[in-house]
Amino acid sequence: MSKSATLAQKCLKRLEEPFDDWEAECFRRTCGFLEFGVVRGAASSWNAMALPLGRRSEACSGEPPATPMTEKDADRLRRRLVRMIETQGRVDERSAD
């Protein structure tokens, strides 16, 4: 399984937990990077999501957008992640042939 598919699966699991605004923004960035195939950017955003409160200001200049993760957002991201995993699975199958 590719690194992007592995991270997408981690993201699917993470959607089951609540997000604060910082985590929601990092999560959205992670999914965006994954969608465009930028695995390093996705991994960096994923890691930033776990920063403790005191370290977050070091990683971001200014205030992050205060946009909470809604159920509608989570459903949309879930569909995108499932699609990415399925697509990567088909690519993996073709390259195994």
Side-chain angles (χ1 to χ4, degrees):
M1 182 179 300
S2 72
K3 290 180 183 181
S4 61
T6 301
L7 185 51
Q9 286 184 329
K10 287 181 182 180
C11 287
L12 273 176
K13 290 178 187 174
R14 178 62 177 87
L15 271 171
E16 303 308 316
E17 300 172 31
F19 291 89
D20 65 22
D21 292 345
W22 171 269
E23 293 166 333
E25 183 62 26
C26 289
F27 190 84
R28 288 184 188 102
R29 274 190 264 131
T30 299
C31 292
F33 279 123
L34 282 174
E35 200 162 31
F36 287 101
V38 184
V39 179
R40 286 186 176 174
S44 177
S45 293
W46 178 262
N47 292 334
M49 193 166 47
L51 286 174
L53 292 174
R55 298 268 331 271
R56 292 177 179 183
S57 63
E58 296 172 16
C60 181
S61 61
E63 289 295 315
T67 309
M69 180 72 71
T70 65
E71 193 59 40
K72 185 177 178 179
D73 291 333
D75 289 341
R76 180 180 52 80
L77 291 168
R78 187 175 289 109
R79 285 191 303 273
R80 288 168 55 190
L81 289 164
V82 167
R83 192 173 334 121
M84 283 184 260
I85 293 167
E86 290 171 349
T87 301
Q88 188 61 47
R90 287 192 295 272
V91 168
D92 290 346
E93 286 174 7
R94 278 188 235 132
S95 51
D97 292 338

